Amino acid sequence: MAKKKMDLDGLEKFNRVSNGSNAILNLIFILISLTCIIPVLLVLAISVSDEDMISEFGYSLIPRAFSPEGFLFLTNQSEMILRAVGISLFVTIVGTVLGVLLTTLMGYTISRPNYKLKGFLTWVVFIPMVFNGGLVSTYFVVGTLLGLKNSVWVLILPLAVSSFNVVICKTFFRQTVPDSLIESAKIDGAGQFTIFFRIVLPISLPLLATIGLFLCFSYWNDWYQSMLYIDDTTLKSLQALLNDIMTNITALAANASSMGISAVELAANMPKESARMAIVVIIVLPIACAYPYFQKYFISGLTVGAVKG
């Protein structure tokens, strides 16, 4: 008993943090937190700042004069904004459902030790994590060979399956779903799809939530696919629209004809900086509100397969 107490005292000694070290660590974490929070507050401040004050004094964490011009401007362009929001919502919902289905099916397949093509398919999944075909070949296959250019499916299919997500699924299924459970279901006459959908998936809800969140955030924040494959402005996602505004403010003027006003009038009256930041707020707000509630699923997803003590 005394020896055990001495061992615990020794462990506590090595794990103990002095008051000075604790204060330094707290200061470091506070500074890191501020580097994440201050940019968000700055974006919010600019989105409600007067455009003339921004032009005269530049960006300020505390607005010199409040103005809702940025959000009112976006309200006036509601047709374009709502269309982009609709595209983003459709892509995010359909892409997440399809991606979760394909990813879990592939991960479950290569997690079964008796599957004959397990080794081959594992390499098929692993190689794209290290190498890729390059932008030119990818563009040719997706845009020309598959004929997906200027289609909403080009925003969904290329991002539906990720090698990283497949590896997470494989590790989870291998460590969580016992072989005896699968064998028992087979003895009772269940087929592979019955086993997967009625036995494996119901006990894999943390995995489904994790992969779903990864895919949801990936689709919602994606603008690159639109930049590469979408020329039709009616198929632009909200993120692609933001990217166009951030890189070239005349992107709104290019859509002036659909709004019944001249491009010159639109460009002259546009609250450029506050409008940009207002769109950033609109895009970030749903994710910022949802993330704290699902953070634990990200942690569990990243630690799937970790060694347990």
Side-chain angles (χ1 to χ4, degrees), residues 37-50 53-54 57-67:
I37 295 173
I38 290 178
V40 177
L41 296 178
L42 182 61
V43 169
L44 288 172
I46 297 171
S47 68
V48 295
S49 297
D50 184 81
M53 294 294 102
I54 296 176
F57 298 102
Y59 295 159
S60 176
L61 193 60
I62 301 177
R64 294 177 179 270
F66 288 92
S67 173

Side-chain angles (χ1 to χ4, degrees), residues 145-179:
L145 187 62
L146 298 179
L148 296 177
K149 188 173 181 180
N150 281 324
S151 167
V152 71
W153 292 105
V154 81
L155 305 177
I156 297 175
L157 296 181
L159 302 179
V161 178
S162 166
S163 296
F164 177 74
N165 291 340
V166 173
V167 170
I168 290 178
C169 291
K170 175 191 173 183
T171 306
F172 182 90
F173 288 137
R174 191 74 196 105
Q175 295 188 351
T176 306
V177 181
D179 294 335

Side-chain angles (χ1 to χ4, degrees), residues 138-214:
T138 302
Y139 184 87
F140 174 78
V141 171
V142 175
T144 305
L145 187 62
L146 298 179
L148 296 177
K149 188 173 181 180
N150 281 324
S151 167
V152 71
W153 292 105
V154 81
L155 305 177
I156 297 175
L157 296 181
L159 302 179
V161 178
S162 166
S163 296
F164 177 74
N165 291 340
V166 173
V167 170
I168 290 178
C169 291
K170 175 191 173 183
T171 306
F172 182 90
F173 288 137
R174 191 74 196 105
Q175 295 188 351
T176 306
V177 181
D179 294 335
S180 57
L181 180 63
I182 305 299
E183 294 300 327
S184 299
K186 289 181 178 179
I187 292 174
D188 292 337
Q192 290 294 343
F193 283 102
T194 302
I195 294 173
F196 180 73
F197 286 106
R198 302 189 64 177
I199 298 177
V200 175
L201 289 188
I203 63 175
S204 305
L205 294 181
L207 175 69
L208 298 180
T210 301
I211 300 302
L213 286 170
F214 282 143

